[in-house]
Amino acid sequence: MTISILGAGAWGTAIAISLSDRQNVVLWVRNKTTFELINRTRESDKLPGYQISGNVLVKSAIEETINASTIILAVPVQSLRQVCQQLRNCGLKKDVAIILACKGIERSTLKLPSEIVNEVLPNNPIAIFSGPSFAIEVAKKLPYSMVLACQNDTLGSRLMLELQQENIKLYFSSDVIGVQICAALKNVFAIACGIILGKKLGYNAHAALIAKSMNEIQTIYLAKINNSNIDTDTLLGPACLGDLIMTCTSLNSRNLFFGFKIGSSNNSFNIQQILLEGKSVIEGLSTAQSVFYLAKKLKIKMSICEAVYRLLYENAPIENTVSVFLS
């Protein structure tokens, strides 16, 4: 049995390192420099210092990944549609399960990852793999908890067995939409929390903002599923509250650190310069834009997300942004 992981950023690489203890793994690497480095040193520039087992086959051609029982997609959400189209063009078989390990909302369509895959690969079964999980801690094989969300119980049971490791606690859920909403929005709120910390406004304000963030997650969750049957296990479990706390409280979070750099910049920040310094994808940056327009489409008020959007895309004064966070 082989699992293919598409996306060799820090998260995809960490999953490959973790799963290779029990599974045969194929890791698809798009970046030529990263591909050559891994083949030469068995380490990635995306996760330096962590050895990639010889049990992981590293490939640069996507057609060499499709002969697997399961494919894990760990690419940025804004690249997900293109990767799915490549898989379709390669003749991916319809019985191959796809696990989505990416978080966000597509800017051009306002769709969640599962909605993108269902559109491009409608015959492939889908599951979501989400929860509080810093890549570096997964690579270290420290304990962590995740949710596997799938609407097919039989498939879910099989995938739970494939993903199970000694250091991971897996929870099963059928709430595919709720888990993805929580996963996407937490990155926007992490940027907001980083700004509060960068401004040195204290942990009281920080904690209050996290609590308000939960309210906004619930608001868009209800609007997206279009009924009142919200799954409290999703909201209070690892995929939402757990992931939100981790992402909004540790400077190991790329999105929190991005916000921290903005907040500590004496009101004169350059987004592109901060991104260059970080050398990694900040999902909350694109998600802030997506959520702003999705909220408009759903006719709901998301004051924190709107404030982050206006700061990042409309050059709103940072004082106005912070005022919304504290109101």
Side-chain angles (χ1 to χ4, degrees), residues 1-5 19 22-27 55-57 64-72 96-97 158 162:
M1 184 179 295
T2 299
I3 296 177
S4 288
I5 300 171
L19 291 181
R22 294 182 62 241
Q23 305 285 358
N24 295 314
V25 175
V26 174
L27 179 64
N55 206 29
V56 177
L57 297 179
E64 295 186 80
T65 70
I66 62 173
N67 294 320
S69 61
T70 303
I71 289 179
I72 298 176
V96 177
R158 189 199 101 194
E162 289 186 15

Side-chain angles (χ1 to χ4, degrees), residues 72-125:
I72 298 176
L73 294 178
V75 298
V77 167
Q78 307 310 323
S79 304
L80 180 60
R81 183 177 297 274
Q82 179 188 18
V83 171
C84 288
Q85 288 168 341
Q86 288 179 265
L87 287 171
R88 182 185 63 194
N89 294 341
C90 288
L92 181 68
K93 295 178 182 177
K94 65 181 182 180
D95 60 337
V96 177
I98 293 176
I99 298 177
L100 289 160
C102 47
K103 303 175 180 181
I105 301 171
E106 190 176 39
R107 278 185 292 201
S108 59
T109 65
L110 307 182
K111 292 182 183 293
L112 295 169
S114 67
E115 295 171 322
I116 298 168
V117 178
N118 277 327
E119 197 172 283
V120 183
L121 298 166
N123 297 316
N124 291 87

Side-chain angles (χ1 to χ4, degrees), residues 25-85:
V25 175
V26 174
L27 179 64
W28 179 59
V29 185
R30 288 188 291 182
N31 183 284
K32 182 179 178 181
T33 301
T34 302
F35 175 75
E36 292 175 349
L37 181 65
I38 293 175
N39 277 321
R40 188 171 68 254
T41 67
R42 301 307 295 181
E43 284 189 17
S44 170
D45 54 337
K46 310 301 182 185
L47 201 63
Y50 294 91
Q51 281 286 304
I52 299 171
S53 162
N55 206 29
V56 177
L57 297 179
V58 183
K59 302 293 183 179
S60 61
I62 197 168
E63 57 267 24
E64 295 186 80
T65 70
I66 62 173
N67 294 320
S69 61
T70 303
I71 289 179
I72 298 176
L73 294 178
V75 298
V77 167
Q78 307 310 323
S79 304
L80 180 60
R81 183 177 297 274
Q82 179 188 18
V83 171
C84 288
Q85 288 168 341

Side-chain angles (χ1 to χ4, degrees), residues 209-229:
L209 183 56
I210 293 173
K212 286 176 63 179
S213 300
M214 283 293 293
N215 287 333
E216 290 201 8
I217 288 173
Q218 182 170 318
T219 296
I220 198 167
Y221 183 177
L222 285 168
K224 181 69 177 173
I225 63 175
N226 200 28
N227 65 48
S228 59
N229 294 323

Side-chain angles (χ1 to χ4, degrees), residues 307-322:
V308 173
Y309 166 79
R310 295 199 185 281
L311 175 72
L312 299 179
Y313 290 93
E314 296 183 355
N315 299 314
I318 196 165
E319 294 84 359
N320 294 3
T321 305
V322 171

Side-chain angles (χ1 to χ4, degrees), residues 157-282:
S157 296
R158 189 199 101 194
L159 296 178
M160 291 276 283
L161 288 173
E162 289 186 15
L163 295 174
Q164 190 61 60
Q165 304 291 311
E166 288 185 7
N167 60 319
I168 183 173
K169 173 63 177 176
L170 275 174
Y171 298 88
F172 182 76
S173 172
S174 60
D175 187 10
V176 169
I177 298 299
V179 167
Q180 291 178 96
I181 288 170
C182 295
L185 266 66
K186 57 100 181 186
N187 286 324
V188 182
F189 299 129
I191 293 173
C193 286
I195 292 170
I196 289 292
L197 293 176
K199 284 287 184 187
K200 298 182 180 179
L201 293 172
Y203 292 109
N204 293 339
H206 184 202
L209 183 56
I210 293 173
K212 286 176 63 179
S213 300
M214 283 293 293
N215 287 333
E216 290 201 8
I217 288 173
Q218 182 170 318
T219 296
I220 198 167
Y221 183 177
L222 285 168
K224 181 69 177 173
I225 63 175
N226 200 28
N227 65 48
S228 59
N229 294 323
I230 198 165
D231 190 334
T232 55
D233 286 340
T234 297
L235 282 177
L236 300 178
C240 188
L241 183 59
D243 208 358
L244 184 69
I245 290 172
M246 184 195 75
T247 311
C248 291
T249 58
S250 171
L251 288 175
N252 285 328
S253 160
R254 293 172 296 180
N255 292 278
L256 185 79
F257 189 69
F258 175 72
F260 182 84
K261 294 285 284 188
I262 291 173
S264 58
S265 64
N266 296 320
N267 302 344
S268 58
F269 60 91
N270 184 307
I271 290 175
Q272 293 307 316
Q273 184 60 40
I274 296 173
L275 292 174
L276 284 173
E277 291 173 3
K279 298 180 181 179
S280 58
V281 175
I282 306 298

Side-chain angles (χ1 to χ4, degrees), residues 9-15 17-18 46-47 50 132-142 144 246 252 254:
W11 180 220
T13 303
I15 296 174
I17 290 171
S18 178
K46 310 301 182 185
L47 201 63
Y50 294 91
S133 48
F134 285 138
I136 192 168
E137 294 189 9
V138 173
K140 286 180 179 178
K141 301 182 182 178
L142 296 176
Y144 68 113
M246 184 195 75
N252 285 328
R254 293 172 296 180

